[in-house]
Amino acid sequence: MITKFIKRILRRDPMAKHTQANKAGAPKRIPKKAHRIDPHLLSKNAVKVTHTLQEAGFEAFIVGGAVRDLALGIGPKDFDVATNATPDQVQRLFRKARLIGRRFQIVHVTFFGKGHPEIIEVSTFRALLDNAGDHVAESGRILRDNVWGSQGEDAARRDFTINAMYYDPSSETVLDYHGGMADMQKKTLRMIGDPTKRYREDPIRMLRAIRFAAKTGFTLDTATRAPIATLSNLLQDVPSARLFDEILKLLMSGYSWAAIQGLRDAGLHHGLLPLLDHILDSGVDSKGANDFVKLALANTDQRIQSGKSVSAGFLFATLLWPDLLKNWKANIAKGISNISALHDAMDDTIATQSSSMTIQRRLESDMCEIWSMQPRFEKRVGRYPYRLIESPRFRAAYDFMLLRCATGEQNPSLGEWWTDFIAADPVGQEALMATAKTELGSSASSPAKRRRRRKPKSDPSPEPEAD
Ligand code: ATP
Ligand code: MG
């Protein structure tokens, strides 16, 4: 009964809030010849969603990052739609529509095509937080964020001007409330409203600023950039899972190296990843670590930009590797046997990381597998190589080992050997193992070998169980 009443009140809200649209100011209407969005970059499904909603008498627009990317001439990776229809009204219009979220409901409309299913996220125009706050006192906690508003309000609660544009595929018009298109032309990333207030409301916006600046190559507007240096400690209060999501987005943006430089320049990297503290703060000492991470991120960026998949576990394994390597060497120096030293180091590295930002368990186990397989690449005789190849995570561990070779931390000939071994037939594999045996005795003087970690004589080197 009460729920029904609340729903009725909320359903009335979008209408009531329309009066406030004027307060937010009328949007600038930008025609096709000015925005030059190429309709071919649009998702057919997103257009289907806006059309269906419009035919049912609602307003509906493609919104947010998709419009930003379209205006940049980039094909967006996902499409969000904003509408004045309530989630219930949206759900009734589509066959595969699911209500998501408890406090502020949105609708996921799923389309099944030839490739992966595409989800179009449909949200109802949302009111500003201030107004929502008023609602809390009268209506109770559950309603806090669940207040729908006008399009103008919806625009004002978005983060950057270039993320607050609405595109109507039917008229091919962009509605621009905050001068986003002018900022696009000036290549400026500008926070809507008072930047300090907006960062205080949600400190994640500081990381988003750096990510979008790296992705677009835009410059942060002075007033948008200025408060970040003094507010960076607010990130400590952000729930770890949310922080992790944002860091992952940053690393998977295809511009991770630029973004990490941006984090350092803004003084935002402290406490996010211990490794970033090490490599970004000190120069000479961490040269090797810096090279390793730089190469790993450059590879990742290249893969993402060419549409290839990237494993987040692999990525975090590389980011934390220099820290792990340092711990591993220190443990060996204490007299701990090689494999135990590695496993202890893994525990330490993960514990230090968790104290600032916890990495998802699933990724943690991927990372540990990749790390713990590294010493096994050095065993190139008997059954060892065959067993290693059969491990489910072999490919990731092998790619990781190649990265170590590329930065000289591991002997490049080891990488070449494994590359040949994978490609060889059984006879060739036997021959390669024979060369590995002779190499064992003769390579001690090669430069990379000198850099290579040496196992203590007493080390029983128990081979980790085959996976
Ligand atoms: P991308 O998906 O390429 O990472 P995006 O801009 O689409 O970029 P999303 O996280 O998908 O980012 O968010 C969609 C839109 O929601 C944004 O464009 C912005 O308008 C709004 N938004 C997202 N996060 C915030 C936030 N923390 N504060 C204010 N508005 C936000
Ligand atoms: Mg998006």
Side-chain angles (χ1 to χ4, degrees):
M1 185 69 188
I2 291 176
T3 340
K4 261 193 186 163
F5 174 73
I6 290 168
K7 273 191 181 159
R8 205 164 352 118
I9 297 278
L10 288 177
R11 226 176 258 153
R12 255 191 244 143
D13 256 352
M15 294 297 113
K17 296 283 178 191
H18 274 304
T19 45
Q20 295 185 15
N22 299 334
K23 254 200 254 170
K28 203 168 171 186
R29 294 181 162 273
I30 303 172
K32 185 178 182 175
K33 65 177 188 315
H35 61 65
R36 300 225 185 99
I37 287 176
D38 176 2
H40 293 104
L41 293 176
L42 292 170
S43 141
K44 286 197 177 61
N45 295 326
V47 175
K48 239 184 249 171
V49 170
T50 54
H51 278 173
T52 307
L53 283 160
Q54 288 168 352
E55 270 169 21
F58 298 108
E59 295 169 19
F61 302 84
I62 290 169
V63 70
V67 185
R68 174 198 68 220
D69 290 350
L70 288 167
L72 283 168
I74 304 171
K77 62 176 165 42
D78 46 43
F79 282 80
D80 296 331
V81 166
T83 177
N84 64 346
T86 63
D88 286 342
Q89 289 168 329
V90 175
Q91 198 187 26
R92 267 181 249 132
L93 289 171
F94 300 95
R95 251 184 332 125
K96 290 269 175 233
R98 213 151 61 92
L99 283 170
I100 306 285
R102 266 179 302 167
R103 281 210 313 230
F104 190 87
Q105 289 191 316
I106 54 170
V107 184
H108 276 181
V109 182
T110 308
F111 292 90
F112 297 92
K114 276 182 212 137
H116 287 294
E118 184 180 6
I119 295 176
I120 307 293
E121 195 168 291
V122 186
S123 6
T124 305
F125 296 145
R126 208 162 149 179
L128 286 164
L129 275 178
D130 288 352
N131 299 338
D134 296 343
H135 245 263
V136 176
E138 288 170 21
S139 323
R141 195 161 193 273
I142 195 167
L143 297 179
R144 212 181 72 195
D145 289 333
N146 207 356
V147 179
W148 297 315
S150 67
Q151 189 179 35
E153 283 180 294
D154 189 80
R157 56 167 291 286
R158 292 178 183 272
D159 46 9
F160 302 98
T161 60
I162 61 167
N163 281 351
M165 297 187 282
Y166 299 75
Y167 178 67
D168 174 7
S170 313
S171 63
E172 294 187 60
T173 307
V174 169
L175 300 191
D176 182 6
Y177 284 84
H178 296 280
M181 205 54 89
D183 282 339
M184 296 266 330
Q185 273 144 17
K186 283 185 259 172
K187 298 190 181 302
T188 299
L189 195 61
R190 190 190 314 274
M191 180 64 81
I192 296 169
D194 170 30
T196 302
K197 182 169 172 265
R198 304 298 314 281
Y199 292 136
R200 283 193 182 283
E201 275 171 12
D202 181 6
I204 283 285
R205 289 174 184 151
M206 294 190 274
L207 295 178
R208 289 174 61 86
I210 303 300
R211 171 157 67 92
F212 294 131
K215 177 175 171 171
T216 56
F218 287 12
T219 310
L220 275 172
D221 163 62
T222 318
T224 300
R225 181 179 188 84
I228 295 181
T230 46
L231 299 177
S232 60
N233 59 345
L234 292 179
L235 282 173
Q236 287 164 11
D237 303 330
V238 174
S240 199
R242 186 143 185 255
L243 200 55
F244 177 81
D245 281 351
E246 190 53 41
I247 291 289
L248 194 58
K249 277 192 190 171
L250 189 140
L251 295 172
M252 300 286 217
S253 63
Y255 301 86
S256 63
W257 183 245
I260 281 180
Q261 298 299 308
L263 286 181
R264 183 196 45 194
D265 295 347
L268 273 179
H269 59 290
H270 288 281
L272 293 176
L273 290 166
L275 147 107
L276 292 185
D277 287 1
H278 290 316
I279 64 163
L280 296 180
D281 287 343
S282 50
V284 186
D285 271 4
S286 55
K287 171 101 182 46
N290 214 334
D291 284 350
F292 184 84
V293 172
K294 191 172 179 176
L295 189 66
L297 293 178
N299 274 353
T300 306
D301 288 349
Q302 211 178 25
R303 284 186 71 86
I304 291 176
Q305 284 177 24
S306 55
K308 291 187 190 149
S309 66
V310 169
S311 132
F314 182 89
L315 190 55
F316 278 100
T318 58
L319 289 176
L320 294 173
W321 178 251
D323 194 64
L324 171 61
L325 201 56
K326 195 183 69 184
N327 291 339
W328 188 9
K329 281 178 184 163
N331 288 344
I332 289 174
K334 280 186 225 156
I336 305 174
S337 70
N338 190 37
I339 302 296
S340 306
L342 172 61
H343 283 264
D344 289 355
M346 279 163 41
D347 290 346
D348 290 346
T349 297
I350 286 178
T352 315
Q353 177 56 48
S354 304
S355 64
S356 49
M357 182 188 75
T358 318
I359 292 176
Q360 284 171 2
R361 281 234 170 275
R362 178 178 56 84
L363 301 189
E364 215 176 87
S365 69
D366 287 354
M367 285 155 49
C368 289
E369 275 190 82
I370 292 171
W371 289 336
S372 62
M373 281 164 81
Q374 293 308 305
R376 296 172 65 186
F377 283 99
E378 293 177 39
K379 299 188 166 194
R380 291 178 287 157
V381 288
R383 294 294 307 154
Y384 291 121
Y386 298 109
R387 284 172 62 184
L388 188 53
I389 274 191
E390 280 159 18
S391 311
R393 303 291 290 148
F394 172 77
R395 192 75 214 182
Y398 162 74
D399 285 344
F400 193 91
M401 184 267 300
L402 290 185
L403 210 54
R404 296 172 62 209
C405 293
T407 48
E409 182 228 306
Q410 183 57 281
N411 194 328
S413 68
L414 186 74
E416 286 157 21
W417 188 93
W418 276 98
T419 306
D420 293 343
F421 189 81
I422 296 166
D425 59 17
V427 178
Q429 289 183 331
E430 288 298 326
L432 278 162
M433 287 199 287
T435 61
K437 257 189 205 158
T438 34
E439 236 180 69
L440 269 178
S442 64
S443 63
S445 59
S446 74
K449 180 79 183 176
R450 254 185 277 123
R451 246 174 276 136
R452 199 164 9 148
R453 176 184 47 79
R454 220 189 282 149
K455 292 176 196 167
K457 273 225 168 75
S458 60
D459 175 23
S461 291
E463 198 207 12
E465 278 306 299
D467 322 55

